[in-house]
Amino acid sequence: MNDRYLTVAEVTDSARQLVSRFPGTARLRRIGTSREGRPLLMLSVGHGPHHALVVAGPHPDERAAAGTALAVAKSAARGDRLSAATDPSLVTWDIVLCLDPDGAALAEAGAHAGRGLGRDFDPVSVPDLGSGSGPGFGPGLGPGSAKTPASLASYYRTAYRPVAAEQPEWAPVAAHPIPETLALLGVIDELRPFVQCSLHSTDVGGSWVQLTRDLPGLAVPFRESAEAVGIPLQRGTYDALYWENPSPAIYVLPPPDSAVRLAAGSQDIARSTWCAPQHHGGVTAIVEVPIWATPMVADTTPEPEAARTLSDLADLVRDGGRQVTAVLGKARGFLPPPETDPLRRVLEWMAAGLYDLVATSWQPLAQQAAAAKTPDDPRHLTRAQVTTLDIVARRQPLRAAGLLLRLLEASDNSAAPALHDELNGLFATWCADFETAVHPRPVPVHAQVAHQTRTAVAAVECALKALGPD
């Protein structure tokens, strides 16, 4: 298998092939139009009374989801019935192929450096999900000899993620719904899915699942799937700093009346599309897989210097942000305006306070760690928790620097080359320091897809069991 990420055009073409091979079972329809006029397409497979909604491409820099979407569709279209979740007479899979095609176009234009499933990818020859011990788990999807993803430097030089107000899942929280958001909310109200799987990736770390309601039974197949492809379970995550943690690397949103919701902005999460299925009794599973893995995110050994380390990390993200913003300040006069340039909008959004927001978000954890008195005090943070925040602190300036380097390379202003060289020196140092700090190992794209696919199928089966007998 060609181990490279699918483009939006490729996933659309593969979906059409699937429909032609399974007429009647698979259908493709347009559910809306993006802000720039691109179609929002949904592939539906099966005719079951229970609808499982899959959202691929919510973030354009998280590209494994395209392969996952097609792997899930292929399994359901075949009607393999290896689990109840893939029985087309019981479950209809409704798969949004790319929720943010505008952002994907910018990400793909970065340098075409992403690798994954290729143009010759056959949607009917995705590896079998198997019939192993857990829901959606089986043989044949372990580590292989596939090509590795690009380097950290090339990733951050080409990655793009829009400002929060332009991210379809989060636009209702940051500002107001955008057309992509409204299309997704319309599908949710129309189909009333009992489960929604939102497919995400993290640059460096491990795998984890965030749930809007607990799904008993998911922990075992999730763990077994990760082990099969050598992906560590991430025992701590910035994305769910204060969520409940009923089992390793599974995080459950606290109830609305919980004071914990006030931490890290979780009090506003009810307005996101993640929570929309709750209005119809459904649950959402956010499935994260890493592009690079590090075993450090699975180390539950107490970190004795956690309070000091978190203070250092706060300084790290602020200092990096200040340095990128200083270069941006010198270039503002000749860069395209943020009103017309999405990369510039991200840079201005980050410069306006995102670095400080990140740095202060883990302050309660630092205070908790500082209060720990004995070696077995439960207030101690683990090395895994500290490592996940280390990754976040290094990620933010690198994201910004990568975007600004792209803008400087595209500029014909005489000041651009010198500013580019200045920033590129920082960028190279930060990438090298990142690799030294966490020792990342590239995860083959097919392994990312296999694990995310099995986890999504397992989540759907667990949600189906929770419905009880019809």
Side-chain angles (χ1 to χ4, degrees):
M1 182 183 295
N2 190 359
D3 209 57
R4 159 177 95 71
Y5 294 116
L6 282 168
T7 65
V8 175
E10 289 166 344
V11 73
T12 301
D13 182 63
S14 294
R16 290 192 175 113
Q17 291 181 43
L18 192 69
V19 170
S20 69
R21 296 189 190 190
F22 296 94
T25 298
R27 294 89 61 199
L28 188 65
R29 69 171 167 123
R30 185 170 185 158
I31 61 170
T33 303
S34 74
R35 286 155 292 157
E36 295 182 6
R38 293 179 174 89
L40 303 175
L41 300 177
M42 185 172 75
L43 175 65
S44 295
V45 181
H47 296 282
H50 304 294
H51 287 266
L53 178 63
V54 175
V55 180
H59 287 150
D61 57 340
E62 300 175 352
R63 299 178 62 190
T68 300
L70 292 177
V72 167
K74 169 254 185 173
S75 181
R78 261 191 343 205
D80 55 23
R81 291 179 171 82
L82 293 177
S83 76
T86 55
D87 182 345
S89 68
L90 187 61
V91 176
T92 298
W93 288 81
D94 301 291
I95 303 162
V96 179
L97 297 179
C98 182
L99 185 60
D100 186 8
D102 297 345
L106 280 169
E108 291 171 10
H112 300 287
R115 295 178 180 176
L117 305 174
R119 184 174 297 278
D120 56 351
F121 172 67
D122 180 352
V124 189
S125 65
V126 180
D128 292 347
L129 293 181
S131 56
S133 58
F137 178 81
L141 287 171
S145 58
K147 298 175 183 177
T148 59
S151 66
L152 282 180
S154 63
Y155 172 79
Y156 287 113
R157 284 291 298 270
T158 59
Y160 165 75
R161 181 180 297 193
V163 299
E166 297 174 19
Q167 297 177 21
E169 291 184 322
W170 285 98
V173 176
H176 51 78
I178 55 180
E180 296 87 340
T181 307
L182 295 174
L184 179 57
L185 292 175
V187 165
I188 291 172
D189 287 338
E190 173 195 349
L191 302 178
R192 304 169 66 91
F194 73 101
V195 60
Q196 174 184 223
C197 293
S198 181
L199 306 179
H200 287 258
S201 298
T202 187
D203 44 10
V204 180
S207 181
W208 73 92
V209 178
Q210 291 170 245
L211 300 170
T212 56
R213 186 179 70 240
D214 195 14
L215 284 178
L218 180 59
V220 171
F222 168 63
R223 173 179 54 79
E224 290 178 341
S225 176
E227 289 176 350
V229 289
I231 293 176
L233 299 186
Q234 185 157 316
R235 306 292 294 271
T237 171
Y238 176 76
D239 291 2
L241 272 184
Y242 306 101
W243 291 29
E244 296 170 1
N245 184 203
S247 55
I250 293 181
Y251 304 91
V252 179
L253 181 67
D257 57 352
S258 170
V260 179
R261 277 263 187 126
L262 299 177
S266 293
Q267 73 273 20
D268 296 325
I269 199 172
R271 298 203 299 271
S272 76
T273 61
W274 289 356
C275 292
Q278 291 180 321
H279 302 306
H280 309 292
V283 59
T284 293
I286 300 95
V287 184
E288 297 267 3
V289 296
I291 303 172
W292 287 270
T294 172
M296 295 172 67
V297 298
D299 186 352
T300 57
T301 305
E303 173 52 66
E305 299 295 327
R308 179 188 59 77
T309 301
L310 293 189
S311 177
D312 291 344
L313 293 178
D315 292 340
L316 182 69
V317 68
R318 287 191 176 105
D319 289 346
R322 277 194 290 265
Q323 291 178 83
V324 176
T325 302
V327 177
L328 174 63
K330 299 173 186 177
R332 280 193 174 102
F334 60 81
L335 292 179
E339 294 78 13
T340 60
D341 190 277
L343 276 64
R344 174 77 185 276
R345 282 199 295 278
V346 175
L347 287 167
E348 297 295 351
W349 171 58
M350 296 183 79
L354 184 64
Y355 306 111
D356 282 334
L357 176 65
V358 170
T360 58
S361 63
W362 56 67
Q363 191 169 26
L365 287 179
Q367 293 170 346
Q368 169 190 315
K373 302 299 183 183
T374 62
D376 58 351
D377 193 316
R379 291 174 294 183
H380 275 300
L381 300 183
T382 66
R383 289 177 177 170
Q385 290 172 303
V386 172
T387 297
T388 60
L389 299 181
D390 190 340
I391 290 168
V392 171
R394 297 176 189 279
R395 169 193 299 151
Q396 301 303 328
L398 280 169
R399 280 181 174 172
L403 294 174
L404 185 50
L405 285 169
R406 284 171 64 177
L407 290 178
L408 292 171
E409 287 166 357
S411 175
D412 58 3
N413 188 278
S414 60
L419 292 175
H420 179 280
D421 289 347
E422 175 186 348
L423 183 58
N424 196 47
L426 293 171
F427 180 85
T429 298
W430 293 341
C431 284
D433 289 347
F434 200 168
E435 294 186 355
T436 299
V438 301
H439 309 291
R441 170 184 58 81
V443 179
V445 176
H446 76 267
Q448 299 172 40
V449 169
H451 173 54
Q452 193 169 55
T453 299
R454 287 192 297 246
T455 302
V457 171
V460 171
E461 182 160 358
C462 290
L464 194 61
K465 289 179 179 177
L467 292 177
D470 290 337

